[in-house]
Amino acid sequence: MINNEYYVKINQDAQEHYQFYKQQAEALVDRREYTTSKRYDISPYWYARQGEIPGDISDEETDTYYEFDEEGRIRILACDDLIDGYTYVTYADGVITTRTYVDGELDSVKEYLTQDGLVCRSVEYFTRFNKLEYEDYIYEGNRLVEVYQPQYENNDYFVHLLRTYFEYDEQGVLLRVLDGTQGVIYVLMSSEEVFVLRESVKKGLILALKEIVGALCEKQSNKTYCFLSIYLHDEVHTVYSPIFHPGWQEVREEQIEEKDEGEDYYYMIWSSGEHPVNDQQELMDHDLIQKLRTLIMYWRSIGDWWEEGMSLWKEVAYDLNETTNWSAYSGLTKNFVVFVEWEAMDVMNGDLQESIPSAKLEVLQSEGIAPRI
């Protein structure tokens, strides 16, 4: 059981003795290390769990830095989580305590309870929200195998956060981190494994999109579709499970009738947001989604998830347009295409060319539907 009163008291103590804890930490500092962004955390496997990349050590002064004592233990964390936030660390038998202040005002107090050198529980009291959160760290030998966050019990919306699982190879190297739904958060793969998985996923996505287009055409309706947009947002989950937004030919015809001479016409005509959302689709193959998620999470761990994910989807769209006779599908226009769309897409700067082969693009250009670059 967590003793709430105890944490309220240490929170009050931290509020009342800001200068004491600040000066105590400063007096024990032996060296300072500047970094480009957050680099260290006391929580085990914090970066793998968050899907973030540790910052690099910087030769220049930066706002984010860490100060260590003579034993190499962190004593001060500066601006690594919060702007103008400073964390002061104390060490005692079986417990590490951090006190975080923003502009001198207490933000939170966190205790890491340790046993045999391993963090077995962390408890954090957030002053601003009068809220207590804690995590239990479960080990097999010295290997962390599970993190349990009981505050998410009986909450379906946060079931993915309730438990986190860790998998290792025979040498004890961390291979995968899974959330409470067994979804991949972190994965370690060789370049060969990435290549093989990417090719497999690409083939699967091509087949899945053909099935999606086919299913749209089989619907008993009078609608005709002129495109299928693969819409990507700048959030990880929208790249491994995007929205597929069909464009209605009747809407496009209205746009053509109202055509003006400005560039806005081309932006409008390739914006799925101008079309009804009635027929939006998504991937339904769970195994394929998990494979794609694994790829995206691997790319996230090396900082390339958006670029690599975008590139994969553009290849899928390009190959579909190059190899598929869309005119054989009832319910599609003769110049139907699949393309990747995102908020910053610039059709006047050639962004359609990576999704649509030149021969098909020339047809669209000749009909005044695509701009000539």
Side-chain angles (χ1 to χ4, degrees), residues 149-171:
Q149 299 184 79
Q151 60 265 24
Y152 298 121
E153 281 282 9
N154 303 315
N155 189 328
D156 292 341
Y157 187 77
F158 291 108
V159 66
H160 62 292
L161 297 177
L162 179 62
R163 298 182 186 276
T164 305
Y165 304 98
F166 302 80
E167 298 178 355
Y168 304 82
D169 66 12
E170 293 179 355
Q171 286 72 44

Short mmCIF file of all heavy atoms in Angstrom, two decimals, residues 149-171:
data_model
loop_
_atom_site.label_atom_id
_atom_site.label_comp_id
_atom_site.label_asym_id
_atom_site.label_seq_id
_atom_site.Cartn_x
_atom_site.Cartn_y
_atom_site.Cartn_z
N GLN A 149 1.59 -0.35 -13.73
CA GLN A 149 1.11 0.96 -13.28
C GLN A 149 -0.35 0.81 -12.82
O GLN A 149 -1.27 0.90 -13.63
CB GLN A 149 1.20 1.98 -14.42
CG GLN A 149 2.63 2.20 -14.91
CD GLN A 149 2.71 3.28 -15.96
OE1 GLN A 149 2.69 4.47 -15.65
NE2 GLN A 149 2.80 2.88 -17.22
N PRO A 150 -0.55 0.57 -11.55
CA PRO A 150 -1.90 0.24 -11.04
C PRO A 150 -2.93 1.34 -11.21
O PRO A 150 -4.13 1.07 -11.16
CB PRO A 150 -1.65 -0.07 -9.57
CG PRO A 150 -0.36 0.61 -9.24
CD PRO A 150 0.45 0.57 -10.48
N GLN A 151 -2.50 2.59 -11.39
CA GLN A 151 -3.49 3.67 -11.54
C GLN A 151 -4.32 3.51 -12.81
O GLN A 151 -5.36 4.16 -12.96
CB GLN A 151 -2.82 5.05 -11.54
CG GLN A 151 -1.80 5.28 -12.64
CD GLN A 151 -0.39 4.99 -12.16
OE1 GLN A 151 -0.19 4.22 -11.22
NE2 GLN A 151 0.59 5.61 -12.79
N TYR A 152 -3.88 2.62 -13.72
CA TYR A 152 -4.63 2.41 -14.96
C TYR A 152 -5.51 1.16 -14.91
O TYR A 152 -6.08 0.77 -15.93
CB TYR A 152 -3.66 2.32 -16.14
CG TYR A 152 -2.87 3.59 -16.35
CD1 TYR A 152 -1.48 3.59 -16.30
CD2 TYR A 152 -3.52 4.81 -16.56
CE1 TYR A 152 -0.76 4.75 -16.48
CE2 TYR A 152 -2.81 5.98 -16.73
CZ TYR A 152 -1.42 5.95 -16.69
OH TYR A 152 -0.71 7.11 -16.86
N GLU A 153 -5.60 0.54 -13.74
CA GLU A 153 -6.50 -0.61 -13.60
C GLU A 153 -7.94 -0.18 -13.88
O GLU A 153 -8.37 0.92 -13.53
CB GLU A 153 -6.42 -1.18 -12.18
CG GLU A 153 -5.21 -2.06 -11.93
CD GLU A 153 -5.35 -3.47 -12.51
OE1 GLU A 153 -6.32 -3.71 -13.27
OE2 GLU A 153 -4.49 -4.31 -12.22
N ASN A 154 -8.69 -1.09 -14.54
CA ASN A 154 -10.11 -0.87 -14.82
C ASN A 154 -10.37 0.38 -15.65
O ASN A 154 -11.41 1.03 -15.51
CB ASN A 154 -10.90 -0.79 -13.51
CG ASN A 154 -10.72 -2.02 -12.65
OD1 ASN A 154 -10.77 -3.14 -13.15
ND2 ASN A 154 -10.48 -1.82 -11.36
N ASN A 155 -9.40 0.72 -16.50
CA ASN A 155 -9.56 1.86 -17.40
C ASN A 155 -9.23 1.40 -18.81
O ASN A 155 -8.07 1.29 -19.19
CB ASN A 155 -8.63 3.01 -16.98
CG ASN A 155 -8.92 4.30 -17.73
OD1 ASN A 155 -9.34 4.27 -18.89
ND2 ASN A 155 -8.70 5.43 -17.08
N ASP A 156 -10.27 1.10 -19.58
CA ASP A 156 -10.07 0.53 -20.92
C ASP A 156 -9.28 1.46 -21.83
O ASP A 156 -8.57 1.01 -22.73
CB ASP A 156 -11.42 0.21 -21.56
CG ASP A 156 -12.13 -0.94 -20.86
OD1 ASP A 156 -11.44 -1.70 -20.15
OD2 ASP A 156 -13.35 -1.07 -21.02
N TYR A 157 -9.41 2.76 -21.61
CA TYR A 157 -8.73 3.72 -22.49
C TYR A 157 -7.22 3.66 -22.32
O TYR A 157 -6.47 3.91 -23.25
CB TYR A 157 -9.24 5.14 -22.20
CG TYR A 157 -8.74 6.17 -23.17
CD1 TYR A 157 -9.28 6.28 -24.45
CD2 TYR A 157 -7.70 7.04 -22.82
CE1 TYR A 157 -8.81 7.22 -25.35
CE2 TYR A 157 -7.23 7.99 -23.71
CZ TYR A 157 -7.79 8.08 -24.98
OH TYR A 157 -7.33 9.01 -25.87
N PHE A 158 -6.77 3.31 -21.11
CA PHE A 158 -5.33 3.29 -20.83
C PHE A 158 -4.81 1.87 -20.60
O PHE A 158 -3.78 1.69 -19.95
CB PHE A 158 -5.01 4.15 -19.61
CG PHE A 158 -5.20 5.62 -19.84
CD1 PHE A 158 -6.26 6.30 -19.25
CD2 PHE A 158 -4.34 6.33 -20.65
CE1 PHE A 158 -6.44 7.66 -19.46
CE2 PHE A 158 -4.50 7.69 -20.87
CZ PHE A 158 -5.56 8.35 -20.28
N VAL A 159 -5.50 0.88 -21.14
CA VAL A 159 -5.07 -0.50 -20.92
C VAL A 159 -3.66 -0.74 -21.48
O VAL A 159 -2.91 -1.56 -20.96
CB VAL A 159 -6.08 -1.48 -21.55
CG1 VAL A 159 -6.10 -1.35 -23.08
CG2 VAL A 159 -5.77 -2.91 -21.14
N HIS A 160 -3.27 0.02 -22.50
CA HIS A 160 -1.94 -0.16 -23.08
C HIS A 160 -0.84 0.31 -22.12
O HIS A 160 0.33 -0.08 -22.26
CB HIS A 160 -1.82 0.59 -24.41
CG HIS A 160 -2.00 2.07 -24.30
ND1 HIS A 160 -3.20 2.66 -23.97
CD2 HIS A 160 -1.12 3.10 -24.46
CE1 HIS A 160 -3.06 3.97 -23.95
NE2 HIS A 160 -1.81 4.26 -24.23
N LEU A 161 -1.20 1.15 -21.14
CA LEU A 161 -0.22 1.66 -20.18
C LEU A 161 -0.16 0.85 -18.89
O LEU A 161 0.77 1.01 -18.10
CB LEU A 161 -0.54 3.12 -19.84
CG LEU A 161 -0.46 4.13 -20.98
CD1 LEU A 161 -0.89 5.51 -20.49
CD2 LEU A 161 0.94 4.18 -21.57
N LEU A 162 -1.15 0.00 -18.68
CA LEU A 162 -1.24 -0.73 -17.41
C LEU A 162 0.00 -1.59 -17.17
O LEU A 162 0.56 -1.59 -16.07
CB LEU A 162 -2.50 -1.61 -17.41
CG LEU A 162 -2.73 -2.47 -16.16
CD1 LEU A 162 -2.89 -1.59 -14.93
CD2 LEU A 162 -3.95 -3.37 -16.35
N ARG A 163 0.43 -2.30 -18.19
CA ARG A 163 1.62 -3.14 -18.07
C ARG A 163 2.53 -2.94 -19.28
O ARG A 163 2.05 -2.73 -20.39
CB ARG A 163 1.23 -4.63 -17.95
CG ARG A 163 0.41 -4.93 -16.71
CD ARG A 163 0.07 -6.41 -16.59
NE ARG A 163 -0.84 -6.65 -15.48
CZ ARG A 163 -0.47 -6.80 -14.21
NH1 ARG A 163 0.83 -6.75 -13.90
NH2 ARG A 163 -1.36 -7.02 -13.26
N THR A 164 3.81 -3.03 -19.03
CA THR A 164 4.81 -2.96 -20.09
C THR A 164 5.72 -4.18 -19.94
O THR A 164 6.14 -4.51 -18.82
CB THR A 164 5.65 -1.68 -19.98
OG1 THR A 164 4.78 -0.54 -19.97
CG2 THR A 164 6.60 -1.55 -21.16
N TYR A 165 5.99 -4.85 -21.06
CA TYR A 165 6.76 -6.10 -21.02
C TYR A 165 8.08 -5.94 -21.76
O TYR A 165 8.16 -5.22 -22.77
CB TYR A 165 5.94 -7.23 -21.66
CG TYR A 165 4.59 -7.43 -21.02
CD1 TYR A 165 3.44 -6.88 -21.58
CD2 TYR A 165 4.45 -8.17 -19.84
CE1 TYR A 165 2.19 -7.06 -21.00
CE2 TYR A 165 3.21 -8.36 -19.25
CZ TYR A 165 2.08 -7.80 -19.84
OH TYR A 165 0.85 -7.98 -19.25
N PHE A 166 9.11 -6.66 -21.28
CA PHE A 166 10.45 -6.56 -21.84
C PHE A 166 10.94 -7.95 -22.23
O PHE A 166 10.82 -8.90 -21.46
CB PHE A 166 11.41 -5.94 -20.81
CG PHE A 166 10.98 -4.58 -20.33
CD1 PHE A 166 10.01 -4.44 -19.35
CD2 PHE A 166 11.55 -3.43 -20.87
CE1 PHE A 166 9.60 -3.19 -18.91
CE2 PHE A 166 11.15 -2.17 -20.44
CZ PHE A 166 10.18 -2.05 -19.46
N GLU A 167 11.51 -8.04 -23.44
CA GLU A 167 12.03 -9.31 -23.94
C GLU A 167 13.50 -9.15 -24.30
O GLU A 167 13.91 -8.11 -24.83
CB GLU A 167 11.24 -9.76 -25.18
CG GLU A 167 9.76 -10.02 -24.89
CD GLU A 167 8.99 -10.42 -26.14
OE1 GLU A 167 9.60 -10.40 -27.24
OE2 GLU A 167 7.79 -10.75 -26.03
N TYR A 168 14.29 -10.21 -24.03
CA TYR A 168 15.75 -10.15 -24.21
C TYR A 168 16.23 -11.33 -25.04
O TYR A 168 15.55 -12.36 -25.15
CB TYR A 168 16.45 -10.19 -22.84
CG TYR A 168 16.00 -9.11 -21.88
CD1 TYR A 168 14.83 -9.26 -21.13
CD2 TYR A 168 16.74 -7.95 -21.72
CE1 TYR A 168 14.41 -8.28 -20.24
CE2 TYR A 168 16.33 -6.95 -20.83
CZ TYR A 168 15.16 -7.13 -20.10
OH TYR A 168 14.75 -6.15 -19.22
N ASP A 169 17.45 -11.19 -25.58
CA ASP A 169 18.07 -12.34 -26.22
C ASP A 169 18.83 -13.14 -25.16
O ASP A 169 18.80 -12.80 -23.96
CB ASP A 169 18.97 -11.92 -27.38
CG ASP A 169 20.20 -11.12 -26.93
OD1 ASP A 169 20.49 -11.06 -25.72
OD2 ASP A 169 20.87 -10.54 -27.81
N GLU A 170 19.51 -14.19 -25.57
CA GLU A 170 20.19 -15.07 -24.61
C GLU A 170 21.31 -14.36 -23.86
O GLU A 170 21.69 -14.77 -22.76
CB GLU A 170 20.74 -16.29 -25.34
CG GLU A 170 19.65 -17.20 -25.90
CD GLU A 170 20.22 -18.40 -26.63
OE1 GLU A 170 21.46 -18.45 -26.77
OE2 GLU A 170 19.44 -19.27 -27.05
N GLN A 171 21.86 -13.31 -24.46
CA GLN A 171 22.93 -12.56 -23.81
C GLN A 171 22.41 -11.44 -22.91
O GLN A 171 23.19 -10.71 -22.29
CB GLN A 171 23.88 -11.96 -24.86
CG GLN A 171 24.79 -12.97 -25.55
CD GLN A 171 24.04 -13.86 -26.51
OE1 GLN A 171 23.19 -13.39 -27.28
NE2 GLN A 171 24.32 -15.16 -26.46
#
